[in-house]
Amino acid sequence: MKRILLTILFFSLLPISWSYAQCNDTAIEVYLESAPIIRYDETFPFEFCRQQLPLVLVGNKEGGVFRGTGMVQDSIFNPVNGTGDFDIRYEVPGCPNYFFTITLEEVSVQPELNPYPTYVQGSFVCVNAAPFKITGNVDDNASVVINESIYSNEFNPAFLGEGLHQIDYFYTDPVSQCIITVTDYLRVETIPNLGIDNIQTHYCLTDLPTRLIPTEDTGQSKITGPGVSFTGIFSPAEAGVGTHLITHHYEDFSGVCEASEVFTVEVRNIPNISIASLGSNCYTDTDTIVYDGEALPDSVELSWHVDESIGIAYQQGDQLIVNWNSPGEHIVELSLANTTCASTYLPRITKEGVEAYIDAQDQIVKSNTSVTLPVIGQSTDPTSNLSYDWFPSTGLSCIDCSSPVALIEETTTYSVTVTDDHGCAVTDSITLTLASGDVFVPNAFTPNGDGRNDVLEVLGSGIASGSFTIFDRWGTKMYQTDDLNQGWDATYQGKVVNPGTFFYILEVTFQDGTQQQFKGNTTVIR
């Protein structure tokens, strides 16, 4: 009969399954509670391996105890020494004693696992370690099971993967047929991903130093190579032109896992790039930009670009034609393709300009009323002087000054051109309308206290008298006057009104005695 020795699983109250004559009309049964135990047939004697001790015997009669050689308590069978047959009796009050025999066998050899390879550190091995055979001192009568499911004596860390793995070395004694299991555990340690997220296959010599970023940063790896600092910053300039090997090396704190990955990078030289602007210094003039750096091979392609927010441009061969939107410093993007170190360059071009405007609005002017036309202007070059040229000269106090006085005899549009020392110029204009016999009420005015258009006035000629009334949108009378030489200052009951639209009724008597009513609206702007 084969003897089975199990050293892990524990069960309780497994019956030996025999019975004797009736005692008090109930069959006598004896169980084994000691684990591990398998169920046996009813053949005497009962055979076990010493490695299964102690055995806990349980009977089904209250008050029953077990006696005999090897019994250390009423129910525990655990002889200190020896093999062979042990006679046991089951004593039950009021019943005859029942006898049975337990036979113990001993294995002839104690199984042991042989040492693992030297790269297995204690119970740890790296995932990149070579597969190895699990052997012991009794391989001819033993088998290996990994993780209770893999029947193989090869331990392959890469195949098994990270984690704790159980190794069971099952030995069947050829003499006693006892089965003994030696269990061990090995933990496979992983290695991080040794990639470098931002490493490139090639760099330009003038590229800025950049920190090389490990794909998985464990704090236990180091990146080394030409141009790489101890903090992992790669400088193409320090590495120099050529092909270089960058190594990402990892070693854990215990020394179990060690691995390296090597990357090849190339540092390339770049051509001497420069551009020239053939246009004037003024942003208002069309500009032509050309490449004037070192000679490039015919295979090199130039591509230009200017952001639409600073200019409208189109490429014409190797030239760029630009109409700038504003003065100042502008960035032109020049890309080189099909070259040893294809890249994009961002040269800067500075253009000057003048900003100027007449600080007055188009307006209706009464006859024999003068109007000052001040010009506010400046050059983008703070050291530049400005010159002024007014046209037409009719009715102006001067034509080369910044604030002429105009006295018109008819409706006139004046324009002024302001020019700086760079020849950059800008033009603005204003129209002065001479009030006639017609009545005119401005459709907007700005009562902000700046001295211009602060009062809503009735303009015109040939007016003898009249009445001017203003209402808000809800019909409230805001202002009324019979003196048309007076205007409304956008107040009501001494308080300024909010910006908005107001309505008026104007009743006029002209000098020839005719009368006319005018209705309309005007807007208060603050």
Side-chain angles (χ1 to χ4, degrees):
M1 178 184 295
K2 179 180 287 188
R3 287 78 171 176
I4 304 294
L5 175 62
L6 303 177
T7 60
I8 298 300
L9 301 177
F10 286 83
F11 304 92
S12 64
L13 296 178
L14 298 181
I16 297 181
S17 299
W18 75 85
S19 62
Y20 291 93
Q22 300 292 315
C23 180
N24 297 330
D25 297 326
T26 303
I28 299 296
E29 294 182 345
V30 176
Y31 296 82
L32 288 176
E33 190 178 49
S34 178
I37 274 301
I38 65 170
R39 183 170 180 171
Y40 294 90
D41 58 28
E42 300 181 4
T43 303
F44 294 95
F46 298 103
E47 298 176 339
F48 299 93
C49 299
R50 284 198 59 86
Q51 288 72 19
Q52 293 177 266
L53 298 179
L55 303 177
V56 178
L57 306 179
V58 180
N60 69 334
K61 294 298 183 179
E62 184 177 355
V65 296
F66 295 89
R67 297 287 186 260
T69 306
M71 296 300 302
V72 295
Q73 291 182 10
D74 290 346
S75 61
I76 298 177
F77 175 74
N78 190 20
V80 177
N81 296 305
T83 59
D85 295 336
F86 294 82
D87 294 327
I88 307 298
R89 67 182 179 277
Y90 182 41
E91 298 178 356
V92 178
C95 294
N97 292 334
Y98 296 92
F99 298 88
F100 57 94
T101 300
I102 296 178
T103 300
L104 291 181
E105 300 286 353
E106 181 69 87
V107 294
S108 58
V109 179
Q110 183 64 38
E112 295 179 356
L113 286 172
N114 291 331
Y116 300 129
T118 56
Y119 52 76
V120 179
Q121 307 264 333
S123 59
F124 297 91
V125 63
C126 191
V127 71
N128 65 352
F132 58 92
K133 299 293 184 182
I134 298 174
T135 61
N137 61 337
V138 287
D139 285 346
D140 291 342
N141 295 290
S143 60
V144 176
V145 179
I146 300 174
N147 292 334
E148 299 182 336
S149 61
I150 302 174
Y151 291 83
S152 172
N153 69 338
E154 180 178 82
F155 191 93
N156 187 334
F159 172 77
L160 294 172
E162 180 186 8
L164 187 66
H165 301 283
Q166 178 178 323
I167 300 171
D168 290 317
Y169 185 66
F170 291 98
Y171 166 65
T172 302
D173 187 87
V175 178
S176 65
Q177 292 298 299
C178 286
I179 297 177
I180 300 178
T181 302
V182 176
T183 300
D184 196 12
Y185 296 90
L186 282 181
R187 179 175 292 278
V188 174
E189 296 288 349
T190 189
I191 58 175
N193 184 337
L194 293 180
I196 302 176
D197 282 348
N198 60 333
I199 198 167
Q200 304 175 26
T201 56
H202 67 270
Y203 294 84
C204 290
L205 189 64
T206 56
D207 286 347
L208 294 175
T210 181
R211 182 180 300 278
L212 299 179
I213 302 175
T215 300
E216 187 176 344
D217 191 359
T218 63
Q220 298 170 246
S221 64
K222 185 174 181 62
I223 301 174
T224 59
V228 180
S229 71
F230 72 95
T231 58
I233 296 177
F234 175 66
S235 170
E238 291 186 15
V241 175
T243 300
H244 308 288
L245 299 180
I246 307 298
T247 301
H248 188 187
H249 181 77
Y250 167 82
E251 183 175 354
D252 66 12
F253 294 124
S254 64
V256 172
C257 280
E258 182 177 0
S260 296
E261 188 165 344
V262 179
F263 302 84
T264 300
V265 300
E266 180 184 0
V267 178
R268 301 175 178 176
N269 212 341
I270 62 172
N272 182 19
I273 302 297
S274 64
I275 65 172
S277 172
L278 304 183
S280 72
N281 288 333
C282 301
Y283 82 93
T284 54
D285 297 334
T286 299
D287 197 5
T288 299
I289 302 173
V290 298
Y291 171 80
D292 70 344
E294 69 178 51
L296 298 173
D298 294 339
S299 61
V300 175
E301 298 179 359
L302 275 65
S303 177
W304 304 82
H305 175 72
V306 172
D307 193 302
E308 292 183 359
S309 64
I310 62 172
I312 306 299
Y314 63 93
Q315 187 168 345
Q316 189 176 63
D318 292 341
Q319 299 180 342
L320 183 69
I321 311 300
V322 184
N323 291 314
W324 303 109
N325 291 336
S326 61
E329 187 178 67
H330 305 302
I331 297 177
V332 176
E333 182 177 305
L334 173 59
S335 298
L336 274 63
N338 297 333
T339 183
T340 303
C341 193
S343 187
T344 298
Y345 303 90
L346 303 174
R348 299 173 184 269
I349 294 178
T350 300
K351 293 295 179 178
E352 304 294 347
V354 175
E355 295 181 355
Y357 63 93
I358 300 172
D359 194 20
Q361 298 178 348
D362 293 346
Q363 55 190 281
I364 297 175
V365 181
K366 296 180 181 179
S367 179
N368 297 320
T369 301
S370 62
V371 178
T372 301
L373 305 178
V375 176
I376 305 298
Q378 64 179 3
S379 172
T380 54
D381 178 2
T383 65
S384 179
N385 297 309
L386 299 178
S387 62
Y388 305 88
D389 183 18
W390 289 88
F391 180 84
S393 60
T394 305
L396 294 179
S397 62
C398 60
I399 61 172
D400 58 357
C401 60
S402 61
S403 297
V405 177
L407 185 63
I408 62 173
E409 296 180 357
E410 59 180 354
T411 297
T412 305
T413 298
Y414 290 107
S415 63
V416 61
T417 299
V418 182
T419 307
D420 68 2
D421 293 341
H422 298 285
C424 301
V426 65
T427 299
D428 194 17
S429 62
I430 185 173
T431 298
L432 302 180
T433 301
L434 182 65
S436 63
D438 295 330
V439 175
F440 175 76
V441 178
N443 60 7
F445 67 109
T446 57
N448 54 13
D450 63 355
R452 301 193 305 272
N453 299 321
D454 286 335
V455 178
L456 179 67
E457 297 178 304
V458 177
L459 304 176
S461 60
I463 300 175
S465 62
S467 174
F468 189 36
T469 308
I470 297 175
F471 304 89
D472 67 10
R473 70 175 76 179
W474 295 281
T476 302
K477 183 188 293 186
M478 310 298 292
Y479 173 79
Q480 196 278 328
T481 182
D482 294 327
D483 183 1
L484 298 187
N485 291 321
Q486 299 293 321
W488 182 44
D489 61 357
T491 63
Y492 175 66
Q493 295 181 351
K495 297 181 180 179
V496 297
V497 299
N498 292 326
T501 301
F502 296 83
F503 303 90
Y504 65 82
I505 298 176
L506 173 62
E507 297 178 346
V508 175
T509 300
F510 293 97
Q511 292 177 351
D512 60 1
T514 60
Q515 297 180 341
Q516 189 172 356
Q517 184 182 75
F518 301 89
K519 295 181 180 181
N521 61 73
T522 187
T523 301
V524 174
I525 301 174
R526 295 191 183 277

